[in-house]
Amino acid sequence: MIEKHKQSHEKLSFALLGYRTTIRTLTGASPYMLVYGTEAVIPAEVEIPSLRIIQEAELDNAEWVKSLYKQLALIDGKRMNVVCHGQLYQNRMSRDFNKRVKPRQFILGQLVLMKIFPHQDEAKGKFSPNWQGPYMVHRVLTRGALILTEMDGEVWPKPINSDALKRYYV
């Protein structure tokens, strides 16, 4: 029994490596088989044997099911490794990015300038200013959001992200 399993395992490994196998009858032969004398083995079949590869290796059903379960377990292990490596990579990238981030702390009544973005009407060309203001900080919200007031006391209805602001020095 062990000898038979060993022989079938050897047959499977030769089939997986793409060694030439011959089919004794010409019925059902593919054009590739007729030209080159062997069936083509695609790279995916090397990792996960297809039914054709298993039939060429002449495995019985129980051995085929065992090899299939083994391949599925191998795929799950590889998938978990990829997920873990992806998470480690993301953590490393965010840590490296956050090293360079300098948090901006604003207090009530502080004067700030607001960045003019290209989609705003104030951005009229290459030589237009990049900042507008000054504005006064009316309220400090969570996660870096601020509510500003104009210099005449008019309060803005929408909060502004602190990334678009910088301190105005008088």
Side-chain angles (χ1 to χ4, degrees):
M1 176 69 178
I2 295 174
E3 186 64 34
K4 182 181 176 189
H5 182 273
K6 187 176 180 182
Q7 288 173 351
S8 65
H9 188 273
E10 288 174 359
K11 288 179 185 178
L12 180 62
S13 64
F14 286 131
L16 289 177
L17 292 175
Y19 286 103
R20 294 177 184 244
T21 57
T22 57
I23 298 175
R24 293 197 169 107
T25 63
L26 291 176
T27 59
S30 67
Y32 190 90
M33 171 67 180
L34 294 174
V35 173
Y36 295 105
T38 183
E39 282 294 332
V41 178
I42 60 174
E45 288 179 330
V46 172
E47 191 69 31
I48 304 168
S50 67
L51 182 60
R52 179 177 59 86
I53 296 294
I54 292 169
Q55 285 176 344
E56 286 180 6
E58 298 174 356
L59 296 177
D60 62 355
N61 287 338
E63 292 173 354
W64 177 72
V65 169
K66 285 180 187 177
S67 68
L68 188 62
Y69 279 131
K70 192 184 300 182
Q71 292 295 327
L72 289 174
L74 181 67
I75 289 172
D76 287 340
K78 286 184 178 183
R79 186 175 296 137
M80 287 303 294
N81 284 340
V82 168
V83 167
C84 290
H85 285 289
Q87 288 175 347
L88 289 173
Y89 176 76
Q90 286 179 350
N91 290 340
R92 191 172 40 231
M93 292 299 290
S94 66
R95 186 178 62 239
D96 290 345
F97 177 80
N98 290 335
K99 282 181 190 176
R100 295 183 297 270
V101 173
K102 294 179 181 156
R104 298 178 181 182
Q105 301 293 327
F106 296 101
I107 57 175
L108 296 177
Q110 188 175 19
L111 295 177
V112 294
L113 293 175
M114 186 172 66
K115 182 161 184 58
I116 299 174
F117 292 103
H119 67 280
Q120 291 176 318
D121 293 336
E122 291 85 6
K124 294 185 178 161
K126 183 176 182 176
F127 299 108
S128 64
N130 295 330
W131 298 90
Q132 65 183 358
Y135 300 102
M136 191 179 305
V137 176
H138 179 71
R139 243 173 78 193
V140 179
L141 304 174
T142 59
R143 298 186 158 251
L146 303 170
I147 294 190
L148 303 178
T149 61
E150 302 269 348
M151 293 308 288
D152 61 1
E154 181 184 342
V155 179
W156 283 33
K158 291 185 177 181
I160 304 295
N161 193 336
S162 64
D163 290 344
L165 300 173
K166 71 176 182 179
R167 189 171 177 193
Y168 177 70
Y169 296 97
V170 181

